[in-house]
Amino acid sequence: MGIYVNPGNRAFKEAINSKIYIDKSELISYTNSVLNTKQKNICVSRPRRFGKSMAADMLVAYYSKGCDSTALFSEKKAEKDSAFHSHLNQHDVIRLDIQRFLEDENDLDTFIAKIEEAVVEELMAAFPDCTGLAVGSRLKTALNKIFDQTEKGFIFIIDEWDCVFRTAKTQKEKQKEYLDFLRGLFKGAEYVDLAYMTGILPIKKYGEHSAINIFDEYSMISAKNLEEYFGFTGREVQEQCVQHDVDYAEVKKWYDGYRIGNLHIYNPKSAVDVLMWKEFQSYWTGTETYEALKVYIDMNFDGLKEAIIQMIGNGRCKINTRKFQNDMTTFKTKDDVLTLLVHLGYLTYDKDTSEVFIPNQEISQEFMNAVDDPGWDGLIQSLHRSEELLQHTWNLNEKAVAKGMSAIHNETASMLKYNDENSLTCTVLIAYYSAKAYYMNPIMELPSGKGFADVVYLPKREKDFPALVVELKWDQSAEGAISQIKDRGYTDWLKGYTGNILLVGINYSRETKKHSCKIERLPG
C-alpha cells in the first residue's frame, strides 16, 4: 500500500463511519461499465464541498489492490451489480490530489516534477521485477515500461485536477504546461484502464476546442447520466430529515434549488450540517467569504448588473454557456461570468430553458452580502421598500405603488440601463422582492390565453394572499396594461386557482420619467 500507488481505504472508511452517510456507490456500476472503453476518460466538475473527494475516495477504496474493502461495501447499493465483485480491489490505482503538490504559486515551477518523482518512486517499489524504471524517469515512460512488461493497466483517480487554474489564474504558460502534462499522460496511452478526474472547472478550452478532448465531461451545466451523484437528491434529504427530526420544508427552502438535469440537488455540506446542528443558516458559503462572489458580480460587462438584480428579485436570466473558456480570467461577456458562477455553485442552470437563477436562501444571503456595498448604491434601499410596496399592492393603493416604483427606479438608475422593458422588469422584481416570503418564485412571461403575462406571482400553498398578474407597459398607459391582461386572457391559466387575483398594470413614461399604476381585483 502506498500514498499514490495502490493506496488504502482509510478516507472512505471515515466517510462511512460518519454520523450521516448517504450511499452513492452506484457510481461504481457506471465506472465499471466504461472500463477499457472509449468512455473510460471521465472529468466530473462540481463546486467545492459537493462531494468530489468522497467519490474519489470511494473509487480508490473499491479498485485499489492496496486494501481489502469487502466489509466497507457490504450491503451497499453497488454490491448488487453483477460486475461488482470481479473488480473489487483488483486494480492497480494511481491516486493524485493535485492540491497537495500545489499549495501556492511558489510551487508552480516544480509541482509537475514532484508529482512524477513521487509516483515513479512508488511504482519502482510496487513493481520491483520491472526493468528500466529509474529515479528521474518521466511518469508516462515508467508506466509504458510497466505495461509493456506486465500487460496490466492502471486506474487513475485525480482530485482537484483544476487547482492550477485557480492558483495560477493569469499564468497562461503554466496552465498550458500542466495541460500538456495531462495530455501526454493520457492521450493514446494503452496503460489507462480508467481515468476519473474531479475539479470545480470543466477542462480548459483554447479557442473552440478542449485542451484534452479525450475526456467526457460531466458538469453543473451538463451532468449527463451522473446527475444523482452531484449531491444529495431531494428524496435522500427528505429521508434524512425524518431520521433526524428536522423540518424538511424549511430545509428545502434554505438549501434546495440546484437543477442538475431533471433532479433537484442539495449541497451535501449544507444538508449534513443542518441535519447535525438543526440550525438554519449559511453553512456552505460560511466556508469562504463573500469577496469571492463580489469579484465577479462587480465586473463591468454590459447587462451583468441588470442580470444580478433580476435574479436577486427571484427572477431568471437566459445565458449562452457554450463560449465559456473554463477558466477564471477569460471573460468576454456577462454570460461568461454567469457561467462561471454556475460552476462555482452561486447560480444554478436550467438546461431546458437555458436560464440561470439563485438556487436557494443560503446563496441568496451571499448575494445580499455582496451587494451591500457602495458599488451597488440604492439596491439595498430599494429592497427595504419592497414590503411596504407589496402591502400597497394588496390594498389596491395605486398611487403609492406608482410612487414606490418611481423611487426604486431612481435608486437603481445607475445600475440599470433604463431604456427598455427588460430594465422595467428588473425594477418590478426588486419592488416585489419581499414577495418571496409569501409567494413562489415569480413566473416570467407565463403563457396564457393569446400571449404572455410579464410576471405572475402565485402564493405558497400555506399562504392566503391574492395571486398577482403583472403587465408592464412602456410609454403607454397602466389602464392599457389591464385591458391587455383581460383581452388576451392572461388569467386563463389560473382558472383552477380558487383565491383572489390582482391584475397589476404598470407603465413607465420616458417623457415624465414616472410610473403609473392600475390595480383591479378579480374574485376567486
Side-chain angles (χ1 to χ4, degrees):
M1 183 175 72
I3 298 174
Y4 310 109
V5 178
N6 293 331
N9 57 20
R10 183 180 180 86
F12 184 55
K13 186 182 297 183
E14 288 183 355
I16 287 180
N17 291 339
S18 297
K19 290 186 177 182
I20 297 174
Y21 168 75
I22 293 180
D23 184 1
K24 294 290 183 178
S25 64
E26 285 178 313
L27 174 63
I28 292 169
S29 301
Y30 179 73
T31 56
N32 280 343
S33 74
V34 298
L35 284 169
N36 291 305
T37 70
K38 293 295 185 182
Q39 291 75 44
K40 67 184 178 181
N41 299 298
I42 299 169
C43 182
V44 176
S45 57
R46 286 178 279 188
R48 57 190 172 82
R49 311 309 294 270
F50 261 71
K52 298 187 297 294
S53 296
M54 199 287 283
D57 293 337
M58 178 183 70
L59 294 176
V60 168
Y62 173 69
Y63 287 115
S64 175
K65 286 181 176 179
C67 55
D68 180 359
S69 299
T70 305
L72 292 181
F73 285 100
S74 177
E75 299 184 359
K76 298 296 183 291
K77 293 177 181 178
E79 195 179 28
K80 299 175 183 177
D81 188 80
S82 59
F84 178 82
H85 288 287
S86 62
H87 294 289
L88 178 62
N89 301 129
Q90 297 300 309
H91 291 264
D92 289 306
V93 171
I94 294 177
R95 164 73 149 99
L96 296 174
D97 182 343
I98 303 300
Q99 202 157 19
R100 286 190 179 185
F101 296 91
L102 187 58
E103 295 181 358
D104 56 47
E105 290 192 42
N106 295 325
D107 298 322
L108 282 169
D109 292 331
T110 60
F111 82 100
I112 293 176
K114 286 182 178 179
I115 290 172
E116 296 196 297
E117 180 183 355
V119 178
V120 169
E121 183 179 332
E122 288 197 10
L123 287 171
M124 293 171 63
F127 297 90
D129 297 331
C130 288
T131 60
L133 304 183
V135 175
S137 297
R138 294 298 306 269
L139 177 54
K140 66 179 181 180
T141 302
L143 292 168
N144 275 318
K145 288 183 181 296
I146 293 170
F147 183 78
D148 288 343
Q149 296 173 53
T150 66
E151 295 187 353
K152 293 181 179 179
F154 290 82
I155 288 178
F156 294 81
I157 311 293
I158 300 181
D159 202 7
E160 301 288 354
W161 87 271
D162 62 329
C163 73
V164 175
F165 300 96
R166 292 179 273 128
T167 303
K169 291 181 181 179
T170 61
Q171 299 188 44
K172 303 299 183 184
E173 285 304 313
K174 294 300 179 185
Q175 295 176 10
K176 188 173 184 303
E177 181 183 345
Y178 173 60
L179 289 171
D180 288 342
F181 164 67
L182 292 179
R183 185 189 297 107
L185 190 60
F186 293 123
K187 195 158 189 176
E190 291 184 292
Y191 52 73
V192 178
D193 290 343
L194 175 75
Y196 181 92
M197 299 200 309
T198 73
I200 293 176
L201 297 173
I203 292 173
K204 164 71 181 171
K205 295 178 182 178
Y206 283 105
E208 292 297 317
H209 304 287
S210 169
I212 315 174
N213 56 13
I214 60 171
F215 278 80
D216 289 321
E217 296 195 63
Y218 305 78
S219 72
M220 299 295 283
I221 298 292
S222 178
K224 302 183 175 73
N225 57 324
L226 300 186
E227 53 196 17
E228 66 180 288
Y229 309 115
F230 272 67
F232 294 166
T233 66
R235 176 181 54 80
E236 290 167 341
V237 173
Q238 190 169 15
E239 290 172 354
Q240 291 292 323
C241 285
V242 172
Q243 292 181 33
H244 294 271
D245 193 25
V246 176
D247 182 359
Y248 175 64
E250 194 69 10
V251 171
K252 185 177 177 67
K253 180 178 76 174
W254 269 85
Y255 309 109
D256 186 18
Y258 290 100
R259 290 286 297 273
I260 312 292
N262 294 319
L263 293 179
H264 282 235
I265 293 293
Y266 290 72
N267 173 0
K269 163 68 176 172
S270 300
V272 167
D273 281 357
V274 74
L275 290 168
M276 288 282 293
W277 314 124
K278 297 178 172 56
E279 293 183 4
F280 293 96
Q281 62 183 47
S282 176
Y283 291 107
W284 175 70
T285 53
T287 64
E288 186 172 292
T289 59
Y290 75 91
E291 281 88 351
L293 170 61
K294 183 169 176 53
V295 165
Y296 297 109
I297 68 173
D298 279 347
M299 288 185 170
N300 189 27
F301 286 104
D302 187 36
L304 178 58
K305 284 197 171 183
E306 287 183 352
I308 298 299
I309 289 172
Q310 185 161 318
M311 289 186 290
I312 286 175
N314 303 309
R316 294 181 171 211
C317 178
K318 191 175 288 290
I319 67 169
N320 178 358
T321 64
R322 293 188 297 275
K323 294 184 179 181
F324 179 58
Q325 294 299 299
N326 298 343
D327 64 26
M328 304 183 84
T329 57
T330 308
F331 303 112
K332 296 182 179 179
T333 67
K334 71 174 178 63
D335 288 358
D336 294 334
V337 177
L338 297 178
T339 303
L340 174 62
L341 293 182
V342 173
H343 291 299
L344 295 178
Y346 289 109
L347 297 175
T348 190
Y349 179 69
D350 186 335
K351 194 173 182 179
D352 292 337
T353 62
S354 299
E355 292 174 321
V356 291
F357 55 97
I358 298 171
N360 52 47
Q361 187 163 325
E362 180 180 42
I363 304 302
S364 181
Q365 283 192 349
E366 202 72 2
F367 273 89
M368 294 299 289
N369 289 335
V371 300
D372 191 5
D373 181 87
W376 294 80
D377 277 344
L379 179 57
I380 296 297
Q381 187 176 352
S382 294
L383 294 174
H384 289 162
R385 292 181 182 274
S386 178
E387 182 70 29
E388 183 180 19
L389 190 142
L390 185 60
Q391 294 285 344
H392 288 317
T393 303
W394 290 336
N395 294 331
L396 279 65
N397 190 337
E398 298 166 344
K399 289 184 178 180
V401 171
K403 184 178 179 181
M405 288 286 178
S406 294
I408 290 171
H409 165 205
N410 292 332
E411 289 160 358
T412 58
S414 63
M415 290 170 282
L416 297 176
K417 290 191 172 180
Y418 216 87
N419 294 314
D420 58 27
E421 293 186 24
N422 182 58
S423 295
L424 181 55
T425 301
C426 288
T427 300
V428 170
L429 290 172
I430 291 301
Y432 289 118
Y433 171 78
S434 64
K436 65 193 304 180
Y438 316 100
Y439 293 85
M440 294 183 286
N441 285 342
I443 304 170
M444 312 298 294
E445 293 193 333
L446 174 67
S448 184
K450 301 176 183 177
F452 298 87
D454 286 324
V455 190
V456 174
Y457 290 90
L458 295 177
K460 295 178 179 179
R461 289 182 181 178
E462 71 278 12
K463 303 293 185 181
D464 185 22
F465 294 99
L468 307 179
V469 179
V470 184
E471 182 66 21
L472 309 175
K473 288 297 178 184
W474 190 266
D475 284 338
Q476 296 183 48
S477 71
E479 291 78 8
I482 295 292
S483 296
Q484 182 169 318
I485 294 174
K486 294 177 178 179
D487 294 344
R488 298 189 181 182
Y490 287 172
T491 60
D492 289 354
W493 187 83
L494 301 175
K495 280 184 177 178
Y497 176 70
T498 58
N500 290 323
I501 300 172
L502 294 185
L503 310 184
V504 183
I506 296 171
N507 178 66
Y508 174 72
S509 168
R510 280 181 291 186
E511 182 179 350
T512 64
K513 299 191 181 303
K514 290 183 179 180
H515 297 74
S516 57
C517 177
K518 183 70 177 175
I519 304 174
E520 288 189 14
R521 186 191 305 275
L522 294 183

